[in-house]
Amino acid sequence: MTASAKVTLSPDGQRLTLDLDARPREFAALWLRERAPDAETLDPRTGQRLIEAAELPLDLAVEHAELDGESLALRFSDGHAVRFPVADLLAEDKPRESVAPERELWDAGLTEPPRADFAAALEDDAALLAMLEGLHRVGFVLVSGVPANEDGMQALIERIGPLRRTNWGGIADVKSVANAYDLTMTQRGLEPHTDNPYRDPIPGYIWLHCLTNAADGGDNTLVDGYHAAEVLRERDPAAFDCLTRVSPGFRYRDETTWLESEGPLIELDSQGRVSRVRYNNRTERVDALPPEELARYYAARRAFYALITSDELTVHLKLEPGQMLIMDNYRLFHGRRAYELAGGVRHLRQGYVDRDSTASRRLVLRRELRHQQAASRMEETA
């Protein structure tokens, strides 16, 4: 504990200020009480709350607070006493930034994408974690050495998964076919877009595996939607604000499926940070809003489209056989150039994995590997 640490209470005891090295942090007494890290309040095994927080008195106060070593000892007006590790309280003091923590924004100047080796990620937890950390940080990762069969990526999905099944099944073909049921199955270029905004929930991650690619053209295009939104916020605040407030609908229909959902092109979290982007010209259906509101929306959408199709923000990649892109569908706009087949086929396979299972796998691996490293250090010093 730093020598300059001190704790003070407001006159009514409903606010506590923890001051470390002249940096005060304020906490509400009611918040401290419902987060008390003791076995009466939180189940020791699950960490889930045992008390009903909504039944705590709204005027609950801290009657006594004292710093004791690395702990903060508290006694509340309901008679409950508890010791908080100071480090845990400091961890709750998260800075308010325009970009979520651990994210790295990028543009066309990105020269080296995160890379992973399929076999290493399949067999080694540290390699799998490195792949997932790169995916989380940058929004996509390029995986090499994927088996050249139709379900070649399945084994790695199962290390993270489960595979998200849709009306198209599990892992589906992406190649030019006659009587295509979706424009991805043609040779036309595709504008930058996010996949399946008409679903609820929207698939979190796209897995795109290249089996063969004898195409002239067909490069994949990638744009960091978080960065594009921040550029729009800086250059055209009114357009940014409009795209966070208007929620167009999205629809997909065929003979057996009818899917509809809605959401803004730029979605913010509770702290005003960009948390999700949407863009899918093929399936967007804007309501018949008042003309003035539509005019603002159309102008804002045009400004955003100009950014996400610009050379300034776009990275080009052409997948080779045995390579795979894993892309964050809440963050990345992806597309492709039109292509002509050069005496062969362009055959890719695509699947989806949800966001929660992917995040869980990353965080559990991070915790486990830290524990292993700590144990190894203890053995070395013993």
Side-chain angles (χ1 to χ4, degrees):
M1 181 73 66
T2 178
S4 63
K6 64 178 181 179
V7 59
T8 57
L9 296 173
S10 63
D12 61 5
Q14 294 182 17
R15 297 287 184 274
L16 178 147
T17 301
L18 181 62
D19 192 337
L20 299 180
D21 292 328
R23 184 183 173 193
R25 301 160 174 88
E26 190 177 60
F27 299 92
L30 193 56
W31 182 90
L32 290 164
R33 176 64 185 91
E34 73 176 28
R35 294 288 289 270
D38 63 286
E40 294 180 40
T41 308
L42 300 179
D43 180 81
R45 185 173 64 87
T46 66
Q48 295 176 346
R49 193 157 55 210
L50 297 172
I51 64 170
E52 179 50 68
E55 293 179 352
L56 292 170
L58 297 180
D59 60 353
L60 184 137
V62 176
E63 293 184 337
H64 179 76
E66 181 180 357
L67 286 166
D68 181 10
E70 300 297 324
S71 297
L72 176 64
L74 301 178
R75 186 178 69 249
F76 295 92
S77 56
D78 66 351
H80 192 74
V82 69
R83 300 176 71 88
F84 272 91
V86 171
D88 290 354
L89 288 176
L90 297 183
E92 294 289 346
D93 183 32
K94 301 179 179 70
R96 290 186 175 269
E97 301 174 350
S98 61
V99 178
E102 302 179 344
R103 299 307 207 283
E104 178 183 312
L105 303 186
W106 49 269
D107 57 19
L110 179 69
T111 57
E112 184 56 33
R115 295 178 182 268
D117 177 76
F118 184 89
L122 194 62
E123 301 296 332
D124 180 59
D125 282 351
L128 179 60
L129 177 60
M131 184 189 87
L132 293 175
E133 295 285 22
L135 177 61
H136 178 67
R137 184 179 70 256
V138 178
F140 75 99
V141 61
L142 181 63
V143 184
S144 298
V146 186
N149 58 69
E150 290 197 343
D151 293 329
M153 59 181 167
Q154 181 72 48
L156 189 55
I157 287 176
E158 290 174 356
R159 286 266 278 160
I160 301 167
L163 176 70
R164 168 79 175 271
R165 297 190 65 84
T166 70
N167 53 298
W168 299 315
I171 300 174
D173 286 318
V174 180
K175 61 181 179 180
S176 179
V177 298
N179 301 316
Y181 59 80
D182 190 88
L183 291 178
T184 59
M185 313 297 282
T186 69
Q187 293 176 294
R188 76 187 294 275
L190 298 177
E191 78 287 345
H193 63 281
T194 56
D195 271 12
N196 295 196
Y198 40 77
R199 295 190 190 276
D200 187 13
I202 296 171
Y205 290 93
I206 307 164
W207 291 52
L208 186 64
H209 173 207
C210 178
L211 293 176
T212 60
N213 195 358
D216 180 12
D219 301 23
N220 294 96
T221 61
L222 303 175
V223 173
D224 184 353
Y226 288 179
H227 183 49
E230 289 302 323
V231 172
L232 186 68
R233 191 199 309 245
E234 178 183 347
R235 297 180 183 175
D236 193 341
F240 177 89
D241 182 67
C242 177
L243 295 187
T244 67
R245 295 180 182 276
V246 177
S247 290
F250 298 89
R251 177 193 290 177
Y252 175 87
R253 290 190 299 183
D254 61 24
E255 292 181 356
T256 62
T257 306
W258 187 315
L259 298 168
E260 291 186 347
S261 189
E262 67 172 22
L265 301 192
I266 300 174
E267 185 172 329
L268 306 180
D269 67 12
S270 61
Q271 298 186 39
R273 302 176 303 201
V274 178
S275 61
R276 186 186 314 195
V277 292
R278 295 174 177 84
Y279 195 90
N280 196 299
N281 175 63
R282 288 167 280 155
T283 63
E284 183 193 41
R285 297 174 61 85
V286 185
D287 287 343
L289 302 172
E292 299 81 5
E293 188 174 359
L294 277 176
R296 288 192 295 271
Y297 175 75
Y298 288 146
R301 186 182 63 183
R302 184 182 183 89
F304 198 36
Y305 177 75
L307 280 174
I308 67 177
T309 56
S310 70
D311 292 339
E312 173 189 4
L313 300 187
T314 303
V315 166
H316 295 262
L317 288 173
K318 185 165 183 176
L319 291 178
E320 301 293 336
Q323 289 188 323
M324 174 173 67
L325 271 173
I326 308 176
M327 298 173 281
D328 184 343
N329 193 41
Y330 282 28
R331 173 176 175 178
L332 249 68
F333 297 114
H334 68 284
R336 71 161 185 243
R337 294 173 54 206
Y339 65 92
E340 296 291 336
L341 295 177
V345 297
R346 183 184 189 270
H347 185 188
L348 285 77
R349 297 275 282 169
Q350 179 172 290
Y352 297 117
V353 178
D354 282 328
R355 204 172 180 82
D356 56 353
S357 56
T358 303
S360 174
R361 189 69 167 129
R362 174 176 55 83
L363 294 172
V364 168
L365 281 173
R366 184 190 287 181
R367 181 186 64 195
E368 290 177 347
L369 290 173
R370 282 177 178 171
H371 287 170
Q372 293 174 15
Q373 292 165 359
S376 296
R377 287 194 295 269
M378 290 178 64
E379 290 177 1
E380 292 171 0
T381 57

